[in-house]
Amino acid sequence: MILPVIMAGGSGSRLWPLSRDLMPKQFLTLDGDLTMLQATVMRLQGLNADAALVICNEDHRFVAAEQLRQIKQLNNNIILEPAGRNTAPAIALAAFTAIKKGQDPLLLVLAADHVIADVDVFQQAVVAAAEFANADQLVTFGIVPTAAETGYGYIKRGQRKELSSGAAYQVAEFVEKPKLETALGYLSSGDYYWNSGMFLFKASRYLAELKQHRPDIYAACEQAMLEVDPDLDFIRVNQQAFLACPSESIDYAVMEKTAAAVVVPLDARWSDVGSWSSLWDISAKNTDGNVHKGDVLSCDSSDNYVFAETGLVATVGLQNMVVVQTKDAVLVAAKDRVQDVKAIVQQLKDLGRSEHKIHREVYRPWGKYDSIDQGQRYQVKRITVNPGQKLSVQMHHHRAEHWIVVAGTALVSIDGVDTMLSENQSVYIPLGAVHALENPGKIPLELIEVQSGTYLGEDDIVRFSDRYGRVEAK
């Protein structure tokens, strides 16, 4: 049995302003109709694979759960990391989870933010790799290089190994990101692959290698899994034990030290979508070489990537540029300088601004809200509550609220009195009133919320009860 393990951590700062700390690139729809996480799960269809385990940060739990729910792949299968500790500990948590169930599957470790255009070739490579993994090899997938990339690590292949399913190569060496001249030499030699960060091995074999080479990581993760707290669709590990775990990649912790590492070549039109220019590379282009997403017009412009989230974006005489417009930020960058977008993200952090962390539209376990307008003593939000969902029973010390129903049905409770509201009806929630909002219907509830008061921050919420396990009032 193959157990997919999907790594859904990371911030993807080079794809700002779309990718942000609380909505990183793996949860965005960048290529096709699915988010990158959803596409990673769906490309496993047809393999002899169990339901995927997704490993993500605590801050992303509800986004990940909602996206898995949308594709009917949510089943208490999200492992929450209390903090990022890189890939070696994360994979150990998945391995211990499988072993605790009395199983020893092949762990197919994938990143949630990769694009693989040729799914059939990918699945064929997994099938070939499975035979080596069943023979106690630790398999990594090496991407057949198409250019002298300096942004990837490389794997040098050694002795060829044959099994009935195909060929692999002993790993001779893992190489850090090279200079251009060195990368050109790698490309011409034919002996090097891009390091994809994807793996296949037995759960027990990985844990044995980890225990041998990094017993400190093994012990911390073993301890973290002794007290697992099932919570809704999540698997919560012991926070104190996991925070004591060193941070290390699987490459450094295991793959560079083991004698059992083999590489299976993969030529499936793979991309890690690490920048706006790489997204331009893989996207469909018009006759002028432009990639247009959203409402875009261009005149005498070529080889650009232009993304319009809201409103019209027009370009005139623009070449080799990236233009990304969101509700609260606009990026304009030369296509050959997009690796430096992370410098803008750092500036935002240094200035204490919020645009690196959160979008204007914010997802919650019950739905989402969009901050439409705000002033000195008011704020206007568009709130969407999913069918059957309910906000916490709460009150505010510093603000009152008006709710106007735009679509759907709202069940509103104010100081213990329930009222049903439908389209075009409204209600007033006084400052200090204990209130709750629920969508009892079968379609999304849309409403406009107008807040007024002396303080309008999100931390002015006292929760008395909450079905999603968030902090309750004492």
Side-chain angles (χ1 to χ4, degrees):
M1 183 185 69
I2 292 175
L3 174 62
V5 178
I6 300 177
M7 316 293 287
S11 61
S13 61
R14 286 178 296 179
L15 286 178
W16 183 87
L18 270 191
S19 181
R20 307 195 185 185
D21 287 355
L22 295 184
M23 184 59 78
K25 66 174 181 175
Q26 57 268 28
F27 302 115
L28 300 177
T29 303
L30 297 176
D31 181 59
D33 299 324
L34 299 173
T35 69
M36 301 193 79
L37 170 62
Q38 291 172 332
T40 302
V41 174
M42 296 308 291
R43 76 171 60 105
L44 300 168
Q45 302 297 305
L47 281 174
N48 180 25
D50 202 352
L53 271 179
V54 175
I55 303 177
C56 74
N57 188 278
E58 177 86 17
D59 289 338
H60 303 146
R61 64 194 187 280
F62 294 123
V63 177
E66 173 61 17
Q67 293 193 1
L68 292 179
R69 185 196 64 78
Q70 289 172 359
I71 57 173
K72 297 179 172 56
Q73 298 291 323
L74 181 62
N75 183 26
N76 193 231
N77 55 336
I78 300 175
I79 299 177
L80 298 180
E81 292 181 292
R85 288 295 183 265
N86 217 313
T87 52
I91 297 167
L93 295 181
F96 277 119
T97 298
I99 296 295
K100 284 185 69 173
K101 294 180 179 179
Q103 302 170 340
D104 189 15
L106 300 182
L107 303 183
L108 176 59
V109 179
L110 305 171
D113 57 357
H114 290 176
V115 169
I116 297 178
D118 197 330
V119 174
D120 288 341
V121 170
F122 163 72
Q123 293 193 356
Q124 290 165 16
V126 171
V127 170
E131 191 172 0
F132 291 93
N134 277 317
D136 282 334
Q137 303 294 293
L138 279 70
V139 182
T140 183
F141 295 88
I143 305 300
V144 177
T146 56
E149 277 285 347
T150 59
Y152 299 144
Y154 284 73
I155 301 169
K156 183 180 181 182
R157 71 185 187 188
Q159 181 180 355
R160 184 181 175 93
K161 302 169 74 73
E162 297 278 358
L163 288 175
S164 61
S165 60
Y169 298 88
Q170 197 75 33
V171 172
E173 185 183 9
F174 285 90
V175 184
E176 295 291 336
K177 298 174 182 178
K179 296 183 182 300
L180 179 58
E181 184 178 353
T182 304
L184 287 168
Y186 292 166
L187 185 64
S188 62
S189 75
D191 290 331
Y192 290 81
Y193 303 104
W194 293 337
N195 188 350
S196 70
M198 299 187 293
F199 305 92
L200 185 70
F201 36 62
K202 287 180 183 176
S204 59
R205 178 65 169 163
Y206 174 73
L207 290 175
E209 291 281 346
L210 184 66
K211 187 175 185 178
Q212 177 183 348
H213 300 295
R214 288 301 302 266
D216 51 345
I217 295 177
Y218 177 93
C221 292
E222 182 181 40
Q223 189 67 31
M225 290 301 298
L226 290 179
E227 297 180 30
V228 173
D229 179 20
D231 173 16
L232 296 175
D233 299 298
F234 312 114
I235 301 169
R236 293 180 182 273
V237 303
N238 182 283
Q239 179 175 350
Q240 184 176 358
F242 191 73
L243 291 179
C245 182
S247 177
E248 190 70 280
S249 73
I250 180 179
D251 286 350
Y252 287 131
V254 174
M255 297 302 291
E256 292 186 6
K257 297 179 172 69
T258 181
V262 299
V263 56
V264 169
L266 178 62
D267 189 4
R269 291 183 288 156
W270 168 94
S271 173
D272 73 344
V273 197
S275 68
W276 288 112
S277 59
S278 63
L279 187 55
W280 177 86
D281 286 338
I282 66 169
S283 300
K285 304 167 185 66
N286 65 18
T287 54
D288 294 318
N290 293 314
V291 176
H292 290 167
K293 302 288 187 178
D295 192 4
V296 179
L297 295 176
S298 67
C299 175
D300 192 26
S301 299
S302 60
D303 300 322
N304 302 304
Y305 185 96
V306 185
F307 180 98
E309 184 176 57
T310 60
L312 169 66
V313 173
T315 65
V316 178
L318 215 60
Q319 279 80 40
N320 294 305
M321 299 291 287
V322 169
V323 181
V324 181
Q325 177 263 339
T326 68
K327 292 177 180 178
D328 62 350
V330 177
L331 169 71
V332 181
K335 206 163 63 184
D336 61 357
R337 294 290 306 279
V338 292
Q339 296 289 348
D340 296 327
V341 169
K342 58 187 178 183
I344 295 293
V345 174
Q346 187 59 51
Q347 285 188 46
L348 292 170
K349 293 178 180 179
D350 293 342
L351 291 169
R353 299 183 59 140
S354 63
E355 290 93 337
H356 72 281
K357 185 174 184 178
I358 197 165
H359 281 276
R360 204 183 80 176
E361 188 170 76
V362 178
Y363 284 82
R364 288 289 186 257
W366 42 260
K368 61 183 179 179
Y369 68 82
D370 185 358
S371 298
I372 300 170
D373 191 20
Q374 56 186 325
Q376 190 171 358
R377 288 180 58 90
Y378 76 91
Q379 183 168 218
V380 182
K381 293 182 177 181
R382 183 184 182 96
I383 296 177
T384 303
V385 184
N386 294 329
Q389 299 303 309
K390 180 181 180 180
L391 282 66
S392 58
V393 178
Q394 59 185 253
M395 61 87 72
H396 310 295
H397 288 296
H398 304 288
R399 71 175 186 250
E401 296 174 343
H402 288 83
W403 293 343
I404 303 100
V405 176
V406 176
T409 303
L411 176 58
V412 179
S413 174
I414 303 174
D415 288 333
V417 178
D418 292 344
T419 304
M420 194 77 74
L421 300 179
S422 57
E423 186 175 325
N424 293 323
Q425 293 184 313
S426 63
V427 68
Y428 171 64
I429 300 96
L431 184 151
V434 177
H435 60 279
L437 173 65
E438 184 174 357
N439 178 3
K442 296 183 178 181
I443 65 171
L445 165 64
E446 303 278 352
L447 61 84
I448 301 298
E449 176 183 86
V450 181
Q451 303 176 358
S452 60
T454 57
Y455 179 72
L456 306 172
E458 283 300 305
D459 53 348
D460 181 25
I461 298 178
V462 179
R463 291 190 174 95
F464 296 94
S465 64
D466 181 67
R467 63 172 61 174
Y468 309 108
R470 293 173 293 179
V471 177
E472 296 183 0
K474 301 297 183 183

